[in-house]
Amino acid sequence: MKWFFCWCQATDFRDDHNWKDLIRASVISARQNTTLEPYLIYDGEETEFIDEIRGYGVTIIFHKITFNKEVIDHQPENFGYQVIARGAFLRFEIPILCDSPDDYVLYTDADVLFLKDPDFSGFKPELIAAAPQFDRGKKVDMNSGVMLINLQKFKEIYNELIEFTKNNLDVGLDQEILRVFIGNNYMLLPDHFNWKPYWGVNPEATILHWHGPKPEVIKQLRSQKINATHQSWTPLLEKNPEAYDYYVEKYSNFIENRFDKNINKLNKIDTNGKIIDRKSFILQHINKSDIIIEIGPNYNPLVPKSEGWSTTVVDHSNRDELLTSYHSHGVNLENIEQVDVVWNGNALHENFDEKSYNTFDVIIISHVLEHLPDPIQFFNSCRKLLKENGKIIIAVPDKRYCFDFFEQITCSGDWIYAFDNKSLRHSPLTAYNSIAYAAKRGNSIAWSSDNDEGIIDFVHTLEQAMGAFQNAKEHPSTYIDFHTWRFLPSSIKFLFDELAYLGFIDFHINNINSVSNEIILDLCPSIDRKKIKNDFQSKRLEHIRNIFAEMSGQFNAFFRSEERRIRERAIDELVKKESKNSVAFEIKKAKIEIKDKYGSQIEYKEVQLRHPLISAAKSKEFYGTETKKHGYVIDLLEILGVYGIEFFWKIINSEEDLIGDSFLIEVSMTDDNYIIIHKEEKLDKSKETTNRLCKVLLNIPMPARFIKIIYDGKGIVDIENLIIVSEAFFGRTQDKISFTHT
C-alpha cells in the first residue's frame, strides 16, 4: 500500500518540533516494520536532508498547494500560519498527485512511528476512515493525522473540497475543514491505528501519533525546562508520563540507529540511494581496516585476501582438497584462497590461539549457518572471538524461494535440542526430510522472490528419501551435508529473540533484510536482558503474526502453482480426448485476446492456430450430431475454466464464418457484469448436457453477479440446476440468472 506524508520545509523554523528527526523516525520505522511504499509530498527545495530521505527509499513529490495564494491572502502578516497551512493542506492534493489504480492509500502526519505493519484488509471506506482525536472509540472528533483514503472517491470530490476550503479558511486547517465538509460521513478506525501517548502504553498499537507535544518538547518538559510556549502541553503529558517516556525511547532508538541500519526493504539501495550488487550490499557496513573471519567461502569469497582484506579463512578442507572437490563444478578455481583454519565441527574458538580471542571485528558466514549441526555452540564461540563491539554478518536462504519450500521453519527448541545433544552430525531424520521434501520450481531448486513462473514440485521420491535415511543411519560418524535449519525473515528474528531471552546466546539482530531469495542480517553482542524480558509474551505473538503473514504469501505461491498444474493437466487430457476422436482442427487466421482472473493480459496475437483447445473443427466429422456439436461448445467452456479467464475470450475468423454453418461461441464480461455465452444454434436439451454445463460454469472463476445465456431456440430445460449453481458459485441467494431468447 502507498503511504503519503507531507512536509513544508519552511516549518523547520520550529526548533522545538525538530521536524527532520520526526520524519527520520517516521520513515525508518516504516521501512523496518512495514511493507508500505513511502511518498513524501514536499513543499520546499532540494537539500541534503531530502537526499537522505530519498536514500531510505522514499519517493519525493515536489509540490505546492494549488490554493497557495488564498492561504497567504487569508493571513498576509502571519508567516507562521502560512507555512503551517501550506504543509497541512498538502494532504488534500493526494488525488491529483497519485496516478495509481490503487483503491486505497494511507495518509499520516509526518510525526508518527510505525510500530507494526498496518492491516487495513477489513476496511473499505466510502471516502475516508479515521480514528478519534481524544475520545477513544468514539465517532465524535475525527483526527486527520491518520487516514485511510478511498483514492477514486477522493478524486471525485477533490474540486469541490478545494473550492470549499478556499472559501472557508477561517474555519481552520485541514482537520477542521474536513470535519465541516464531510460531517459524520467517514468510517471509524480502531484507536490502535492512531494511538496517542496520553492514552498510555498499548502493545497492540500499530501507528503512534505524536499528537500534542513532540519528543523534543517532552524531553524538555520532563527535565522541568518549561517555557511559556510549552506550558500548554503539560496537562497532556501529566495524563500518562510513563507512556511518553516509553514511546520517546522507541523514537530515540530509531534516530540513534539510523546510520547503522539499512532500513530499505527493497534491499537494492544503500544510504545514498545508489543501486548496489549483492556483495557490496553485504559488505556496506565494514571496511578493510577490520579484522575478519570468513567461514566457508569455498570458491566464492566475499572478503578475499587477494583484494586487501585482513581475513582469516575458515573452511572444512584445505585449499588443495577444495581444488580437487570443485574441479569438475565449472567454477573459477582461482577464487579458492589459502585456508588458514580447517574446521572439523568442534567448537570454532578451539581452532584459534587464546591470544586471538576478542580480537576480531567481523565474522562472515554466508550460506553455512543452515548446515551447522549445533548453531548455539557456534554463536557462543563467536562471542569469544569477537571484540565487544564486533558483529556477525549472516546470509541464509529464504525457505520460500528454494528447495526448503515444503519444510517446516526452525524454532528455538530445535537449536536447544541440538545444543543439549552436542550434535556433530546430521541425524537420519534430517537426511530423510531433506530428500523427501526437497522442492523445485520448474527446473530450479532456487528462484528469485519475484519469480512466479514454473510449477512447484518435489525433487526426489520417497524411495530416495528412505535411501538417505538408511545411509545416515549406517554411517553415524560420517558427516553428510544437508540443510538442517530453515528460515523466514520473521522466523529468524523470532528464533534469536527467544534464544536470547532464555540466555542461550548473547547476540541481538541489529539489521535484517530480505534480498531476492536470501535473508541477510548482522548480529551484535551484548544484550539488555531486562529490556528483552519486558512484555515478552506479547512480542512472541507479534513474531507469530509476522511469520503467518510471510507464510501466507508462500501458500498463495503454491496455490497459484497448483492452479497452473491443474490447467496443464486438463489441457493434456482434452488433447488426448480430441486426438482419440481424430478430429482435425485448424484456423488459418485468428485473433485471440485472453486475460486472467486478475485482469492481466495473458496473450494477444494473430497466429496460425492448430491447437484443439483454442481452435475449432472444420472437418465434416465434427458435425456428426447436434450432441457432438454442443459437446464441443462445452469443451471450449472448460478451457475458460482451465485458463481462469475472467474478462474476455473471443475467436474471430477474418475470412469466413468460424467453423462454417453459422457456428460461433463468444464468452465475455460486459460492462454490467454479465457473462454472455452465445451460440447461434440450438443447445442440446438433455439433462446430462445441462448438468455438464452447470459443472463447467461452476468451475469458471468469475466474480460476476449474473450469468446470462443467449441462445437460439427454446433452450435448456433443467433451470433448477442452474439456480443451484448460482447459489453455490456466488454464495448469495439474491444473485440471479436471467435467460434471454434471441
Side-chain angles (χ1 to χ4, degrees), residues 585-694:
F585 301 98
E586 179 181 1
I587 297 179
K588 292 181 179 178
K589 190 176 182 183
K591 178 180 176 183
I592 297 178
E593 180 179 339
I594 303 172
K595 291 188 178 181
D596 67 14
K597 63 183 178 180
Y598 304 105
S600 301
Q601 189 164 285
I602 297 175
E603 184 177 11
Y604 180 78
K605 58 186 177 180
E606 291 193 2
V607 292
Q608 187 84 4
L609 291 174
R610 296 181 182 275
H611 197 296
L613 299 183
I614 55 175
S615 59
K618 299 193 72 163
S619 68
K620 290 183 180 179
E621 183 179 353
F622 182 79
Y623 297 102
T625 64
E626 288 288 319
T627 303
K628 191 168 185 180
K629 284 184 185 179
H630 183 224
Y632 194 77
V633 172
I634 296 179
D635 283 346
L636 288 176
L637 289 174
E638 285 181 330
I639 299 160
L640 295 177
V642 164
Y643 275 94
I645 297 168
E646 183 170 304
F647 290 98
F648 193 79
W649 171 286
K650 194 171 185 180
I651 301 177
I652 303 170
N653 189 308
S654 60
E655 297 180 0
E656 57 183 318
D657 288 338
L658 187 63
I659 324 178
D661 297 335
S662 294
F663 188 108
L664 175 67
I665 178 169
E666 177 184 322
V667 178
S668 62
M669 178 85 74
T670 66
D671 292 338
D672 53 354
N673 283 332
Y674 278 81
I675 303 167
I676 297 177
I677 303 170
H678 184 116
K679 179 181 180 298
E680 295 175 355
E681 291 198 27
K682 293 180 181 180
L683 294 178
D684 181 32
K685 299 178 183 178
S686 72
K687 186 169 184 178
E688 179 183 352
T689 302
T690 302
N691 288 342
R692 188 178 174 205
L693 179 58
C694 292

Side-chain angles (χ1 to χ4, degrees), residues 365-631:
I365 177 168
S366 176
H367 288 257
V368 175
L369 177 61
E370 64 273 17
H371 298 266
L372 297 180
D374 186 356
I376 291 177
Q377 181 204 61
F378 166 76
F379 286 113
N380 289 339
S381 284
C382 290
R383 191 68 179 87
K384 294 183 178 182
L385 294 167
L386 284 172
K387 294 177 181 177
E388 193 61 33
N389 61 345
K391 67 173 67 174
I392 306 175
I393 297 176
I394 302 171
V396 293
D398 187 323
K399 75 173 288 290
R400 297 172 293 180
Y401 312 118
C402 72
F403 57 83
D404 291 329
F405 187 90
F406 293 134
E407 289 273 32
Q408 299 179 33
I409 59 171
T410 296
C411 296
S412 56
D414 299 319
W415 280 14
I416 293 169
Y417 182 82
F419 178 68
D420 189 60
N421 282 274
K422 298 180 172 56
S423 298
L424 297 174
R425 305 286 183 268
H426 298 306
S427 69
L429 174 63
T430 295
Y432 176 87
N433 286 342
S434 296
I435 300 300
Y437 301 108
K440 62 181 179 179
R441 180 156 213 156
N443 295 318
S444 301
I445 59 171
W447 53 92
S448 64
S449 56
D450 59 357
N451 178 14
D452 201 35
E453 299 299 320
I455 292 173
I456 300 171
D457 204 349
F458 291 113
V459 176
H460 307 292
T461 65
L462 287 179
E463 288 77 11
Q464 291 171 313
M466 281 305 303
F469 179 87
Q470 291 298 335
N471 186 47
K473 189 175 178 182
E474 292 167 6
H475 302 90
S477 60
T478 302
Y479 178 84
I480 306 172
D481 194 35
F482 295 105
H483 276 199
T484 306
W485 320 115
R486 288 95 184 173
F487 312 103
L488 300 169
S490 291
S491 77
I492 201 167
K493 287 194 285 187
F494 190 30
L495 178 66
F496 278 101
D497 273 5
E498 289 199 324
L499 291 170
Y501 175 85
L502 293 170
F504 282 97
I505 61 172
D506 190 25
F507 287 96
H508 68 274
I509 294 178
N510 180 59
N511 179 32
I512 182 166
N513 297 276
S514 179
V515 187
S516 186
N517 57 6
E518 293 181 285
I519 304 166
I520 298 170
L521 61 155
D522 63 75
L523 306 180
C524 291
S526 299
I527 292 173
D528 183 349
R529 300 205 179 279
K530 259 188 194 177
K531 194 172 180 181
I532 287 181
K533 290 181 180 291
N534 182 36
D535 198 23
F536 192 70
Q537 285 295 89
S538 294
K539 293 176 184 175
R540 293 180 73 211
L541 289 173
E542 184 177 337
H543 280 307
I544 292 293
R545 285 194 296 271
N546 293 334
I547 289 169
F548 282 0
E550 290 174 351
M551 290 174 68
S552 69
Q554 183 180 358
F555 295 155
N556 289 335
F558 179 67
F559 293 145
R560 288 193 297 273
S561 166
E562 284 301 284
E563 287 177 5
R564 193 175 292 114
R565 182 203 307 278
I566 292 167
R567 181 174 71 222
E568 292 182 4
R569 184 183 299 152
I571 289 172
D572 290 342
E573 290 175 357
L574 285 171
V575 169
K576 289 176 184 177
K577 182 178 73 173
E578 296 299 345
S579 298
K580 287 180 182 177
N581 293 336
S582 302
V583 180
F585 301 98
E586 179 181 1
I587 297 179
K588 292 181 179 178
K589 190 176 182 183
K591 178 180 176 183
I592 297 178
E593 180 179 339
I594 303 172
K595 291 188 178 181
D596 67 14
K597 63 183 178 180
Y598 304 105
S600 301
Q601 189 164 285
I602 297 175
E603 184 177 11
Y604 180 78
K605 58 186 177 180
E606 291 193 2
V607 292
Q608 187 84 4
L609 291 174
R610 296 181 182 275
H611 197 296
L613 299 183
I614 55 175
S615 59
K618 299 193 72 163
S619 68
K620 290 183 180 179
E621 183 179 353
F622 182 79
Y623 297 102
T625 64
E626 288 288 319
T627 303
K628 191 168 185 180
K629 284 184 185 179
H630 183 224

Side-chain angles (χ1 to χ4, degrees), residues 36-48:
L36 297 170
E37 302 171 43
Y39 292 78
L40 169 60
I41 302 176
Y42 175 56
D43 178 351
E45 303 297 326
E46 181 68 52
T47 64
E48 288 184 6

Side-chain angles (χ1 to χ4, degrees), residues 133-134 195-200 211-213 236-237 239-240 243-244:
Q133 183 155 272
F134 293 107
W195 190 258
K196 322 298 192 309
Y198 44 78
W199 287 341
H211 180 256
L236 283 179
L237 178 63
K239 282 187 175 182
N240 216 310
Y244 275 99

Side-chain angles (χ1 to χ4, degrees), residues 42-45 62-68 86 90 93:
Y42 175 56
D43 178 351
E45 303 297 326
F62 289 85
H63 182 73
K64 293 183 185 297
I65 57 173
T66 54
F67 49 100
N68 192 47
R86 281 163 51 189
L90 281 172
E93 309 282 277

